[in-house]
Amino acid sequence: MSNEDFEIPEDKKKAESRIKELRKEIRYHNRKYFVDNQPEISDYEYDQLVRELEVLEEAYPQFITEDSPTQRIGSEEIEEFKTIEHKVVMLSLDKAYNYEELKEFDERVKKRWKDKEIEYVVETKIDGLGVALYYENKSLKRAATRGDGARGEDITPNVKTIKSVPLRLSDDSILNTAEFRGEVFMPRNAFDEMNEERIKKGQEPFANPRNATAGTMRTKDPQIVAKRPLDIFIYTLSYYENGAFTTHVKTLEEMKKAGLKINKFEVFKGIDNVITYLEEYQEKKDQLDYEIDGMVLKVNNLEAHDILGYTTHHPRWAIAYKYPPTRKTTKIQDIEIMVGRTGKLTPVAILDPIQLSGTTVSRASLHNENEIQRKDIRVGDTVLVEKAGEIIPQVVKVIKEKRDGSERKFEMPTKCPICGSSAKKIGSDIIRRCVNAQCPAQVKQRIEHWGDREAMDIDGLGTMLVNKLVEEGLAKNVADLYELDLNELKKIERMGKKSSMNLLNNIKESKDRELPRVLYGIGIPYVGQHIARVLAENFKNIDNIINASKAKFEKIDEIGPQIAESVVSFFEEEKNKELINRLKDHGVRMSIEEEEREQFLEGKKFVFTGALEKYTRDEASEKVRQYGGRATSSVSSATDFLVVGKNPGSKLAEAKKEGTKILNEKEFLDMLETKKLPEN
Ligand SMILES: [Zn+2]
């Protein structure tokens, strides 16, 4: 969309008031959509509002505020997570594992507090990452992890990307400067979808939503964080400068008014009513769209909080109740091997079907052979199966008393059950992997990876088309792509003449990609983009790589024994050599052509800040490397150039201080084009 679609007022005052109006409107709809789950306008209308605000702010940057809805996703990477002190120490909760322990807790409360029947607020205990959000004059100032309770890590840029976190508290609320506690989490459905997507792209799936959340929050690029489906529930007002509250429920209501996302809660008089509720909830909890690891009870009366106080570790007015995991015994009929899309061999127990927390369970992952040995799992064993927080049921242990001697020990195969190639453990790996680049179990993922932007960059070779090509038998490996013809392609559903011709042309063009892309694209375990480049630069062509010994690889600085072994065993596989030969025959470039480019940036160090229009940060860094320069992440006295894009960060000020030469995007592109360093 072009800027002309919105009117940009000439008058500064008018612009400022329209900007304020837009922010207010966007905040309102943001809240309706992401917090209250009751959208009032279409996504399109919402996007239009945001777009208009962006256009106005671009024209009048002096009116940008840090809590503007346009400032959610920073373009700057986080260099390191700074430690910050919490306004109030974040203690963990004491835990109860059965109702008896809850009654004892209730007795302790009653002893110190006058009420005979305590009023409790009961909330779910979400299994995510605890955070503290600090607002100053209604603006989100910082967000931190729990850390050791006194100090946590500053993850503000990441938390800002979560759409249900308001950047500014509502004007209706009396809360102004305050600190809140909450839990960042990933909803189950969104987690499953994200993992599907990762598997398709050949990335490692996350083990569970909790790990995914914690890992995401420690990601240094807010742009990546913004793409992950994170959500938040706020449950405590830990510090405030305005207002006075008598009960926990009143603070929850006020936080809701302030625009924060509050989870459902229930209030009960007396511990017996709480226990009845917990019992009822046991079944319901599996239907929630997020994982919980129990329930939290808090005394509602805030005066009681002051009187009850704290132990050194826990508040005395709250406790977490942990539900026992659902477990049942069943029999292992067989152990099968699954070959994943990335070539991993995973043993799976085939079980006599049982009902576990609402679902039928007939398979359980046994993870790897070490796990089978450690638990001494045999075919025919009676085992205890558990379905706790995790989505995949687990075999907890073998009931050895039930053995009758007919059980069979399981041997992990050393060959891929799908293609018969050898399945090896590389270096310190505990899993076996089929390294055959033509393995039918992996073919879809491998072809898609080959076409990735970072690999051979074949436009149009998306998931759907790859699936079709494989299912129609048109491609069994990446070399087959170079033998596709127009008539075959046209037969595929929705492939017209034009798109077929485009695709064939893009495939043809990919033959001229550089060797590092070929090495990355072919999918050698542990060889990412960077290592692919290191290999290419050190060995110059594919034959040198195929013929090199493990020792020769290990002589290179950045290549450890694991990578060395992986590369050697990849090229030991005849089918892989055969594939390389076919690619060669089709004219795919397999060597670095030396002195192809002037190394006019030799020894020059570049730092980027803000977003460039033409290139992503990675692409721009690669350009610099191609011409012999280096791209680093922080400005120092050794930095030669700072390239400044849109919305530059703090690096600009640092560069000015260091006296670093500053280039705008146009100057940077001109430099690449003319292959001359800019004059002073
Ligand atoms: Zn295989």
Side-chain angles (χ1 to χ4, degrees):
M1 186 176 305
S2 68
N3 295 1
E4 288 77 51
D5 295 342
F6 300 105
E7 192 197 332
I8 302 175
E10 295 273 325
D11 182 63
K12 230 172 162 183
K13 277 256 152 37
K14 262 192 202 149
E16 190 182 10
S17 85
R18 179 64 184 148
I19 285 175
K20 282 190 176 156
E21 200 176 279
L22 280 166
R23 276 185 199 146
K24 207 170 161 193
E25 214 170 322
I26 293 167
R27 272 187 202 117
Y28 173 80
H29 290 298
N30 200 64
R31 175 177 177 168
K32 281 284 158 200
Y33 190 96
F34 295 105
V35 179
D36 302 342
N37 240 333
Q38 293 167 327
E40 287 177 359
I41 55 172
S42 70
D43 289 1
Y44 177 76
E45 288 167 298
Y46 178 82
D47 290 343
Q48 288 293 97
L49 292 173
V50 174
R51 188 67 197 127
E52 185 182 352
L53 179 59
E54 280 171 355
V55 168
L56 286 184
E57 284 186 345
E58 218 177 296
Y60 293 96
Q62 65 267 44
F63 298 134
I64 300 178
T65 56
E66 59 179 12
D67 60 11
S68 169
T70 58
Q71 304 300 303
R72 251 187 207 285
I73 307 169
S75 59
E76 212 57 65
E77 284 199 19
I78 300 168
E79 251 139 50
E80 57 175 335
F81 294 101
K82 277 176 264 159
T83 308
I84 50 180
E85 205 151 324
H86 296 301
K87 229 27 193 156
V88 180
V89 176
M90 281 177 95
L91 294 175
S92 63
L93 292 181
D94 201 2
K95 292 174 189 72
Y97 293 92
N98 51 52
Y99 299 143
E100 217 33 63
E101 287 173 4
L102 280 184
K103 285 180 181 163
E104 285 164 20
F105 164 76
D106 182 57
E107 286 305 317
R108 290 198 297 273
V109 172
K110 280 195 259 186
K111 223 181 249 174
R112 289 172 182 253
W113 178 243
K114 58 193 178 190
D115 282 358
K116 283 211 175 59
E117 263 201 331
I118 308 287
E119 197 169 67
Y120 289 108
V121 184
V122 184
E123 302 158 71
T124 52
K125 187 169 187 297
I126 294 153
D127 199 7
L129 185 78
V131 291
L133 308 182
Y134 180 68
Y135 287 77
E136 210 171 78
N137 296 322
K138 296 205 182 280
S139 274
L140 177 62
K141 275 285 168 253
R142 53 173 198 259
T145 60
R146 186 174 166 274
D148 65 4
R151 271 168 239 95
E153 280 180 331
D154 184 350
I155 50 168
T156 315
N158 288 347
V159 169
K160 276 175 100 171
T161 67
I162 303 171
K163 298 201 180 67
S164 45
V165 171
L167 299 185
R168 193 177 166 79
L169 300 177
S170 150
D171 289 334
D172 311 339
S173 166
I174 49 167
L175 294 172
N176 202 19
T177 292
E179 190 189 64
F180 307 95
R181 301 282 159 76
E183 198 86 2
V184 176
F185 66 97
M186 216 175 261
R188 279 186 206 192
N189 283 327
F191 169 80
D192 289 345
E193 275 170 30
M194 182 189 72
N195 257 355
E196 281 291 311
E197 208 36 51
R198 289 181 71 84
I199 293 165
K200 267 189 210 157
K201 288 189 184 146
Q203 295 166 327
E204 201 66 20
F206 287 106
N208 55 51
R210 213 211 90 83
N211 285 359
T213 305
T216 301
M217 279 294 128
R218 290 212 38 110
T219 302
K220 291 191 170 168
D221 185 352
Q223 311 253 359
I224 293 178
V225 179
K227 289 187 189 129
R228 302 266 172 89
L230 294 167
D231 205 344
I232 196 168
F233 276 125
I234 303 292
Y235 50 75
T236 298
L237 172 61
S238 48
Y239 170 86
Y240 54 95
E241 289 180 359
N242 308 74
F245 302 96
T246 52
T247 64
H248 177 57
V249 168
K250 290 226 161 77
T251 65
L252 290 171
E253 284 163 353
E254 190 62 36
M255 290 192 285
K256 190 169 189 289
K257 208 168 162 191
L260 296 158
K261 192 163 177 174
I262 307 300
N263 203 356
K264 237 180 57 191
F265 59 86
E266 300 283 343
V267 184
F268 299 98
K269 254 195 185 331
I271 198 72
D272 292 337
N273 289 321
V274 172
I275 289 171
T276 310
Y277 174 69
L278 293 179
E279 208 148 321
E280 283 168 14
Y281 208 80
Q282 177 141 16
E283 284 300 309
K284 277 194 218 154
K285 73 184 190 346
D286 297 313
Q287 279 133 43
L288 295 171
D289 189 32
Y290 46 85
E291 302 201 335
I292 65 168
D293 59 358
M295 303 291 271
V296 178
L297 281 62
K298 288 176 188 159
V299 175
N300 193 19
N301 190 311
L302 293 181
E303 196 191 337
H305 289 205
D306 288 338
I307 288 168
L308 290 161
Y310 301 84
T311 71
T312 43
H313 303 291
H314 316 292
R316 287 205 187 90
W317 41 265
I319 196 161
Y321 171 71
K322 297 279 210 175
Y323 281 110
T326 333
R327 291 176 165 186
K328 263 183 195 166
T329 58
T330 186
K331 213 168 169 175
I332 296 186
Q333 296 170 352
D334 200 359
I335 294 176
E336 282 181 1
I337 301 294
M338 294 249 306
V339 184
R341 292 176 55 128
T342 57
K344 267 189 194 177
L345 269 59
T346 308
V348 176
I350 309 300
L351 308 167
D352 283 343
I354 38 163
Q355 289 293 315
L356 260 186
S357 51
T359 54
T360 306
V361 173
S362 57
R363 298 162 77 85
S365 170
L366 299 173
H367 304 289
N368 55 62
E369 50 198 297
N370 293 15
E371 184 81 356
I372 295 178
Q373 266 173 16
R374 193 171 62 79
K375 292 179 178 163
D376 188 18
I377 296 170
R378 302 177 191 181
V379 176
D381 264 339
T382 300
V383 290
L384 192 62
V385 177
E386 171 180 306
K387 196 173 174 234
E390 261 108 309
I391 288 153
I392 311 156
Q394 308 288 318
V395 171
V396 183
K397 63 168 187 176
V398 174
I399 318 269
K400 291 193 176 146
E401 303 81 70
K402 297 254 175 141
R403 279 186 179 159
D404 62 10
S406 69
E407 297 76 17
R408 230 170 357 97
K409 276 204 176 177
F410 174 76
E411 289 272 346
M412 193 72 183
T414 53
K415 291 214 172 341
C416 170
I418 304 290
C419 71
S421 302
S422 61
K424 291 180 186 163
K425 293 189 195 176
I426 297 161
S428 58
D429 254 358
I430 49 170
I431 50 153
R432 279 179 194 277
R433 223 181 264 275
C434 165
V435 296
N436 175 13
Q438 304 192 49
C439 176
Q442 307 168 50
V443 60
K444 286 180 183 170
Q445 187 269 337
R446 283 185 177 272
I447 293 178
E448 206 179 326
H449 175 71
W450 180 256
D452 267 357
R453 196 165 161 187
E454 295 79 15
M456 300 301 269
D457 195 12
I458 303 173
D459 212 22
L461 195 65
T463 312
M464 299 258 278
L465 182 65
V466 170
N467 287 350
K468 283 273 179 232
L469 288 176
V470 173
E471 282 152 19
E472 304 274 327
L474 295 177
K476 293 191 186 66
N477 52 55
V478 296
D480 288 350
L481 293 175
Y482 298 90
E483 286 168 20
L484 289 172
D485 72 42
L486 194 58
N487 289 328
E488 281 178 333
L489 273 182
K490 277 196 312 197
K491 279 184 217 144
I492 292 181
E493 213 185 308
R494 274 190 294 192
M495 282 296 281
K497 190 173 172 197
K498 182 137 189 269
S499 47
S500 300
M501 277 169 65
N502 279 343
L503 178 71
L504 287 177
N505 194 43
N506 296 341
I507 292 174
K508 196 173 146 209
E509 268 183 10
S510 76
K511 292 181 187 178
D512 207 31
R513 301 279 183 258
E514 301 181 298
L515 182 58
R517 286 174 173 270
V518 177
L519 288 172
Y520 172 63
I522 200 81
I524 308 167
Y526 300 107
V527 176
Q529 279 172 274
H530 177 68
I531 295 298
R533 181 167 295 282
V534 171
L535 288 171
E537 278 164 7
N538 279 279
F539 291 89
K540 311 296 182 203
N541 66 50
I542 195 89
D543 293 322
N544 290 342
I545 296 174
I546 292 176
N547 297 325
S549 65
K550 191 166 175 249
K552 196 154 181 199
F553 285 114
E554 281 187 62
K555 279 208 188 96
I556 297 163
D557 243 5
E558 286 168 276
I559 297 184
Q562 185 115 350
I563 298 171
E565 196 178 323
S566 176
V567 179
V568 170
S569 61
F570 184 85
F571 289 112
E572 265 169 14
E573 180 61 52
E574 279 307 320
K575 292 201 177 84
N576 292 341
K577 277 193 267 193
E578 174 195 306
L579 188 68
I580 295 285
N581 283 331
R582 278 186 62 206
L583 288 169
K584 258 193 207 166
D585 292 343
H586 285 298
V588 174
R589 197 192 319 181
M590 292 287 174
S591 63
I592 281 190
E593 276 151 45
E594 297 232 49
E595 288 176 49
E596 166 185 30
R597 285 201 178 83
E598 302 158 61
Q599 300 283 294
F600 79 104
L601 295 181
E602 181 97 60
K604 297 288 180 217
K605 288 201 177 113
F606 283 75
V607 173
F608 294 91
T609 182
L612 297 181
E613 272 181 15
K614 179 152 184 204
Y615 296 124
T616 65
R617 180 95 34 115
D618 280 349
E619 286 164 353
S621 304
E622 189 176 328
K623 287 281 167 205
V624 165
R625 274 197 302 272
Q626 277 176 8
Y627 294 112
R630 275 190 61 193
T632 59
S633 60
S634 58
V635 175
S636 73
S637 57
T639 309
D640 296 290
F641 297 101
L642 178 80
V643 181
V644 182
K646 222 166 129 187
N647 298 331
S650 57
K651 289 174 191 169
L652 182 55
E654 286 162 33
K656 282 182 182 157
K657 220 190 311 169
E658 293 285 354
T660 310
K661 172 104 179 130
I662 293 165
L663 302 178
N664 63 27
E665 177 161 2
K666 187 176 175 302
E667 289 167 320
F668 174 66
L669 295 176
D670 285 349
M671 181 191 77
L672 292 180
E673 176 137 75
T674 59
K675 310 211 170 26
K676 277 201 187 83
L677 290 175
E679 283 161 33
N680 281 321

